[in-house]
Amino acid sequence: MSYLDQITSPTLLISESITRANIKRMADKAKRNGKKLVPHWKTAQSHEIGNWAKEYGIREVTASSIKMAEYLCGQGWDNIHIAFPFNPLETPKLSQLAATQSFSVQLVNAATAQKLVDGLSNSVGFFIEIDAGYGRTGVHISDFGTIEEILRIASKSENLNFKGFYLHPGHTYYTSDKAGIYEQSRQALHMLKMKYQGEFPNLLTRVGDTPGCAVTEDFGDIDELGPGNFVFFDLMQAELGSCTKEDISVCLAVPVVDISKERGEILIHGGGVHLAKDVLIDASGNKNFGEVVFLNENGWTIPADRSYLKSISQEHGVIKASDSLLASVKVGDLLGILPVHSCMTADCMGEYLSLDGKKIDHCEG
């Protein structure tokens, strides 16, 4: 039976071949540059897709919450890193999980370091997150007082072990000067490595963001790369130049429920609860919540004439349709929508359907 015959409501499709190609490309880049690839699994959140990643030499993984980290336990990962300023209220849970799985966390203040020292009964590693210009979170690059206070507190416990510095240059999402941002990141992490490597000879530095990791070749003496979205990519990444639309490996299959040829619009069952509400805005001010592809037995094809999701509500989506799409579609058909933000779409949907008709797990499922 075709995978298409299983679909009666919004369903997130995954192309295993495109996903594997994306993983392999980034793994090859890391190897070529002598870096370890530690992907952020907030995008895929899947045991099965994790097994694919292991085939390309990936042995460690990153999560964005302790819930996701727990889901990834017992899957053979050498280490699971929680790349979010650690929530000290979850110290007992972390300590429990660390009894059987190697963990590391992210620290940005001395108070949380002290909570971990007081509460851990099993060994956990930690990175200090550094802010070198993004401004979202992290210890400012010049705030050596906070860095050294965290290190001093951690030194009081055998269960809290310093691993290195983590930097997420998230402003690569908002500027075309990715090379400039990466130069800034390289310099910041190099400075910290030189300053603290004498005391911590095994100190690691890690940088993680898909736009930068996808286009950069010179990572300097950074040790590890931690991008996430590269596993699937999406329309936002295509617009940023990280990939092409052909590299996007997930798409939302949606039923057509009404057609208005007068308005040039198609109503679909597929809205914010399926895609989230991330949006791109073109030069004319038009909102784009996803782009239409044609589904077939082997996956999907990108039409020459662009049609896009102009608006969404909770369950509804309205497509601004090209003339060729209007002429070929009918009520009851299935269309595919390439997501603006694949991480959020996957999180909303909670599972995948492969092109050979198999359900693939997701943490939120």
Side-chain angles (χ1 to χ4, degrees):
M1 181 174 71
S2 166
Y3 78 93
L4 293 168
D5 295 329
Q6 299 184 41
I7 301 172
T8 59
S9 59
T11 301
L12 187 59
L13 305 176
I14 184 169
S15 166
E16 180 176 347
S17 62
I18 300 175
T19 303
R20 282 180 173 273
N22 292 339
I23 296 171
K24 183 178 186 301
R25 189 182 308 113
M26 193 64 76
D28 287 347
K29 171 176 275 196
K31 185 176 181 180
R32 186 166 64 246
N33 285 277
K35 313 302 179 187
K36 179 187 284 188
L37 178 59
V38 186
H40 201 317
W41 223 235
K42 70 181 179 65
T43 301
Q45 298 190 52
S46 170
H47 296 160
E48 179 63 22
I49 302 170
N51 291 335
W52 303 348
K54 291 168 192 169
E55 293 180 29
Y56 302 99
I58 296 168
R59 300 303 311 163
E60 298 185 28
V61 73
T62 297
S64 57
S65 67
I66 200 163
K67 175 186 175 183
M68 188 188 307
E70 183 175 17
Y71 184 73
L72 295 169
C73 283
Q75 300 299 304
W77 296 111
D78 290 348
N79 187 73
I80 298 171
H81 176 65
I82 303 174
F84 185 89
F86 188 71
N87 170 12
L89 298 179
E90 294 179 322
T91 299
K93 183 67 171 181
L94 174 66
S95 190
Q96 174 194 347
L97 294 174
T100 55
Q101 168 70 57
S102 175
F103 269 98
S104 55
V105 297
Q106 215 143 285
L107 297 184
V108 296
N109 58 61
T112 301
Q114 187 63 57
K115 292 283 189 182
L116 288 169
V117 166
D118 294 340
L120 286 175
S121 54
N122 290 297
S123 180
V124 170
F126 74 94
F127 284 78
I128 297 176
E129 183 179 0
I130 298 299
D131 175 14
Y134 183 24
R136 182 180 67 178
T137 186
V139 180
H140 192 271
I141 183 64
S142 63
D143 187 358
F144 300 115
T146 297
I147 291 171
E148 289 167 13
E149 187 179 6
I150 292 171
L151 293 174
R152 186 168 58 252
I153 291 169
S155 69
K156 300 174 183 177
S157 170
E158 294 183 354
N159 287 328
L160 189 58
N161 305 301
F162 181 52
K163 296 188 72 170
F165 296 102
Y166 182 106
L167 196 157
H168 176 67
H171 39 329
T172 55
Y173 282 81
Y174 308 108
T175 177
S176 59
D177 186 19
K178 295 173 180 57
I181 290 174
Y182 257 66
E183 178 59 26
Q184 182 185 47
S185 300
R186 283 193 298 268
Q187 290 180 6
L189 290 174
H190 176 75
M191 179 272 290
L192 290 169
K193 180 178 280 191
M194 292 302 98
K195 183 173 177 62
Y196 292 102
Q197 200 168 37
E199 185 178 0
F200 301 98
N202 297 319
L203 179 157
L204 297 170
T205 55
R206 183 184 301 175
V207 65
D209 73 298
T210 289
C213 288
V215 303
T216 301
E217 278 294 341
D218 181 9
F219 296 96
D221 64 355
I222 292 168
D223 299 298
E224 300 178 345
L225 308 181
N229 189 278
F230 77 95
V231 175
F232 295 158
F233 286 122
D234 51 33
L235 291 175
M236 185 181 296
Q237 296 294 339
E239 185 165 282
L240 290 168
S242 310
C243 67
T244 67
K245 292 178 184 177
E246 287 75 14
D247 295 321
I248 300 171
S249 68
V250 291
C251 106
L252 186 72
V254 294
V256 173
V257 296
D258 196 18
I259 299 169
S260 173
K261 293 193 175 181
E262 296 77 14
R263 295 195 304 270
E265 294 177 353
I266 297 170
L267 181 67
I268 59 166
H269 181 195
V273 297
H274 310 105
L275 285 163
K277 287 198 172 183
D278 293 82
V279 63
L280 297 172
I281 300 176
D282 66 22
S284 301
N286 298 310
K287 293 181 178 180
N288 173 9
F289 293 91
E291 294 186 8
V292 174
V293 293
F294 295 139
L295 302 178
N296 57 53
E297 295 295 328
N298 299 311
W300 54 86
T301 57
I302 301 172
D305 298 326
R306 174 175 169 269
S307 299
Y308 63 94
L309 204 53
K310 60 172 281 189
S311 66
I312 56 176
S313 52
Q314 184 161 325
E315 297 278 352
H316 302 71
V318 178
I319 293 169
K320 185 62 178 175
S322 66
D323 291 342
S324 58
L325 178 59
L326 283 172
S328 62
V329 73
K330 62 183 184 298
V331 171
D333 283 350
L334 293 172
L335 294 173
I337 305 292
L338 296 180
V340 171
H341 188 177
S342 61
C343 310
M344 292 296 292
T345 299
D347 201 74
C348 287
M349 294 303 297
E351 71 175 6
Y352 311 91
L353 180 66
S354 70
L355 302 181
D356 57 1
K358 297 177 182 176
K359 297 284 182 66
I360 292 178
D361 70 286
H362 186 284
C363 175
E364 292 301 320

